Amino acid sequence: MLRFLILISVLACPVVVVAQVFDEEFEHWPIDLRIHGRLLVAGRLEDPTILQRALRRVPRGSTTLLFDDHVPDATIAQYQRLFRDDVPSIPEGSEKTPDYLADKSATQPVLTVIRSGGVTEQIGELLTESDVFVWHASPDATPADRTAQLEQPPAFADYLARGKTLVLIGSVAELSAKYFYAELTANPPEVVGLNLLTDCVLETGYQFDAANQSRLLSILAAHPRSVGIGLNDNTVLTLSGRRLSVTGTGGAMCLLLANERESIRSQTIFESRSRRQSEASTVVDLTQWRREAIDRTLPAFPPAEPAKPLLENGTLVIVGGGRTPPGLMERLVDLAGGPKEARMVYIPCSEDEEVSSKQQTVESWKRMGVAHATFIHTKDRHKANHDEEFLAPLKDATGLWFGGGRQWNFSDSYYGTKAHELMKHVLRRGGVIGGSSAGASIQARYLARATPIENIDIMAPGYERGGLGFIDGVAIDQHFSQRGRQKNMTLLVNRHPQLLGIGIDEATAIVVQKSIAEVIGQGRVYFYDRNLPVYPDRPDYIALPAGSTFDLSERRVLSDASETPIPETTEMP
């Protein structure tokens, strides 16, 4: 009855067409989020077997080893032996024929070794013939030598885009970054590189001391939206997709410049020695670090006084993951106009560039009789911002549903794009937006639990400013009791007391109209309000079961179903 009265009161109000605020800017954020091949870089590498270990998971094919005139013969011989060992051959007395010889259509792997001084004009041709390309230059080359090698930049970016493996060793390693250190007399003290390590400053031969850090920070001061990387000798840095890892005796330090709010951020990673090691100690997500570098140049987020969590029009359906409460999807469709009139669009949360043409959510809508049901998916921010065919379903959508997964994928694909703006227009038209798990958290302007490496931290620098912002002033976490996330939300609201923390159990949801959140489902919803006092012997939240209502804007309980007395039963004779 209470739900019915709330809906009637909302529907009885005249519709005020006020647009969702769209101030998320496309141009700030990375577009090229990952590489499709593998990039390996190293400065001084006295033990080539380190490279062999770093390449152990790389599919093998034809390999080119290119050495400049300053690389000693002994070093070249070492590399030849290592890579020849990787080229399949027929052992003496063996009856087994290698697959590439048994299959006449297969191409036999080839090892090509070249020594050359002025090599840049040859590289384009060599790249077309190689699956693995190793360019080894003397680590003692001067900055002038490096600059000369860039006069005719090779097509390395296209090579990596084809899924190939590029290895740069010695003085050419630093060319892989966007900027690299030259000398203090230069103005500014850096040279522009190939930008394969996108938006990075790379320094090889790095020592973990104040002098080296100061030199790297001097370049970041001129380019504060860059990530600094200091790489030890005898260490190979690998970029695969968007993840940085190292192999060797040393490590790599990632640095971000301080600003008026945040101190210098640094993280050092080393080669993984055990499966029990935390992934966060051995891997860095480069896209997250690039986003954090950008974030540090923007006004503080979340702001000290965020807008109140209030919807001028439309409805939000926010599910804590797991099973969707019975009848909720039907209610979503009704709020979107009913099966005949609703125009439903599903947005899956996937790391893959392509997804199946059949999506379960869309099929379930069709079984419900929804006449207009489709989905959109892209990892291409240009497409999400400019492709009219891609954007078309959003232009007249009355209902959206965001799927589960890792919520940073939504930020990468849509944040600040035209698609994002059109999503907000669904609410402007009085439509409905829903989602579960990742699709719940993404609805807030502040994005909780968006760390690409592992899924432990509720606060993810670089992605906090990544929510799609259908509702302001809140932070939403899901799978709440099932994964014991109460203490996580305590940490978040202690750091950002201006936000209302909302934790939602699985198979539980809130339906939000205006500022009123109605709780439905089998679990509870937890509200964390740091405007209230916190006592050491009491929970720092209010937990409400199904049938309860909470005013998000005023931060107060309207009704608590757990306090409703159970009617007495009369025994029948």
Side-chain angles (χ1 to χ4, degrees), residues 29-30 198-202 206 212-230 244 252-268 284-298 460-464:
W29 305 101
T198 314
D199 297 333
C200 289
V201 178
L202 177 65
Y206 191 82
N212 277 256
Q213 186 177 100
S214 176
R215 191 163 59 241
L216 194 49
L217 290 172
S218 71
I219 305 177
L220 293 181
H223 303 283
R225 291 191 166 198
S226 298
V227 178
I229 303 175
L244 291 172
M253 175 181 282
C254 295
L255 284 171
L256 293 180
L257 197 67
N259 64 12
E260 66 278 5
R261 304 182 303 269
E262 305 284 347
S263 60
I264 293 170
R265 173 154 150 77
S266 68
Q267 180 180 344
T268 304
V284 158
D285 184 89
L286 181 56
T287 302
Q288 182 183 3
W289 277 70
R290 290 165 62 200
R291 286 184 64 98
E292 185 177 356
I294 294 166
D295 194 79
R296 287 178 172 229
T297 67
L298 299 175
Y463 277 100
E464 292 174 292

Side-chain angles (χ1 to χ4, degrees), residues 407-461:
Q407 47 262 42
W408 50 267
N409 282 289
F410 290 132
S411 303
D412 284 348
S413 295
Y414 304 115
Y415 186 88
T417 66
K418 182 65 175 178
H420 184 186
E421 183 178 16
L422 292 173
M423 291 169 184
K424 289 192 170 187
H425 285 182
V426 173
L427 290 179
R428 176 182 181 176
R429 294 192 294 271
V432 58
I433 295 177
S436 180
S437 189
S441 293
I442 198 65
Q443 296 188 46
R445 180 175 283 255
Y446 177 95
L447 184 58
R449 201 173 297 280
T451 311
I453 303 299
E454 298 180 332
N455 195 25
I456 298 171
D457 297 329
I458 193 170
M459 291 174 282

Side-chain angles (χ1 to χ4, degrees), residues 77-403:
Q78 281 182 297
Y79 277 84
Q80 285 179 292
R81 285 195 297 272
L82 286 177
F83 280 90
R84 282 199 177 114
D85 287 344
D86 288 334
V87 176
S89 59
I90 305 175
E92 258 186 72
S94 172
E95 296 180 1
K96 180 173 174 57
T97 303
D99 292 340
Y100 72 82
L101 291 179
D103 180 2
K104 300 302 181 184
S105 65
T107 303
Q108 179 177 345
V110 174
L111 176 63
T112 304
V113 181
I114 299 174
R115 180 194 275 278
S116 177
V119 293
T120 52
E121 68 278 2
Q122 303 177 33
I123 287 179
E125 181 180 344
L126 294 170
L127 290 175
T128 63
E129 302 169 354
S130 305
D131 298 298
V132 179
F133 186 89
V134 181
W135 184 4
H136 193 307
S138 168
D140 300 319
T142 67
D145 295 330
R146 297 175 191 157
T147 306
Q149 288 165 331
L150 280 176
E151 288 179 359
Q152 294 179 325
F156 286 140
D158 292 339
Y159 182 72
L160 290 170
R162 301 202 308 271
K164 305 298 185 180
T165 299
L166 174 65
V167 182
L168 300 176
I169 301 174
S171 59
V172 292
E174 294 186 359
L175 299 185
S176 63
K178 186 171 186 179
Y179 308 104
F180 61 89
Y181 185 83
E183 54 189 20
L184 290 175
T185 56
N187 187 24
E190 85 280 338
V191 178
V192 176
L194 296 167
N195 203 26
L196 305 174
L197 281 170
T198 314
D199 297 333
C200 289
V201 178
L202 177 65
E203 182 174 350
T204 60
Y206 191 82
Q207 301 294 321
F208 298 143
D209 58 31
N212 277 256
Q213 186 177 100
S214 176
R215 191 163 59 241
L216 194 49
L217 290 172
S218 71
I219 305 177
L220 293 181
H223 303 283
R225 291 191 166 198
S226 298
V227 178
I229 303 175
L231 182 63
N232 292 162
D233 285 339
N234 296 311
T235 307
V236 176
L237 177 71
T238 299
L239 174 61
S240 179
R242 53 193 281 164
R243 293 183 162 207
L244 291 172
S245 59
V246 295
T247 308
T249 59
M253 175 181 282
C254 295
L255 284 171
L256 293 180
L257 197 67
N259 64 12
E260 66 278 5
R261 304 182 303 269
E262 305 284 347
S263 60
I264 293 170
R265 173 154 150 77
S266 68
Q267 180 180 344
T268 304
I269 55 172
F270 297 94
E271 182 176 0
S272 176
R273 305 294 181 185
S274 166
R275 291 183 179 178
R276 296 180 180 179
Q277 274 184 270
S278 164
E279 190 179 30
S281 67
T282 61
V283 179
V284 158
D285 184 89
L286 181 56
T287 302
Q288 182 183 3
W289 277 70
R290 290 165 62 200
R291 286 184 64 98
E292 185 177 356
I294 294 166
D295 194 79
R296 287 178 172 229
T297 67
L298 299 175
F301 185 87
E305 296 185 12
K308 284 185 175 292
L310 172 67
L311 305 180
E312 294 290 344
N313 293 314
T315 306
L316 295 181
V317 177
I318 307 173
V319 184
R323 184 172 59 86
T324 302
L328 183 61
M329 195 59 81
E330 289 79 3
R331 185 174 172 186
L332 180 92
V333 171
D334 286 341
L335 287 165
K340 291 184 179 180
E341 301 298 327
R343 305 190 77 86
M344 304 298 298
V345 180
Y346 172 54
I347 303 103
C349 185
S350 176
E351 296 182 41
D352 298 325
E353 294 190 6
E354 301 292 337
V355 296
S356 171
S357 59
K358 275 201 167 184
Q359 293 292 317
Q360 184 177 347
T361 299
V362 176
E363 297 304 310
S364 70
W365 285 336
K366 291 179 178 178
R367 289 192 296 270
M368 291 164 55
V370 176
H372 304 283
T374 188
F375 76 95
I376 61 169
H377 172 72
T378 186
K379 306 302 291 184
D380 183 343
R381 288 179 57 76
H382 275 301
K383 186 174 183 179
N385 202 48
H386 299 294
D387 189 322
E388 291 300 323
E389 184 178 356
F390 177 82
L391 296 170
L394 295 172
K395 291 182 177 179
D396 60 0
T398 59
L400 306 178
W401 184 265
F402 289 84

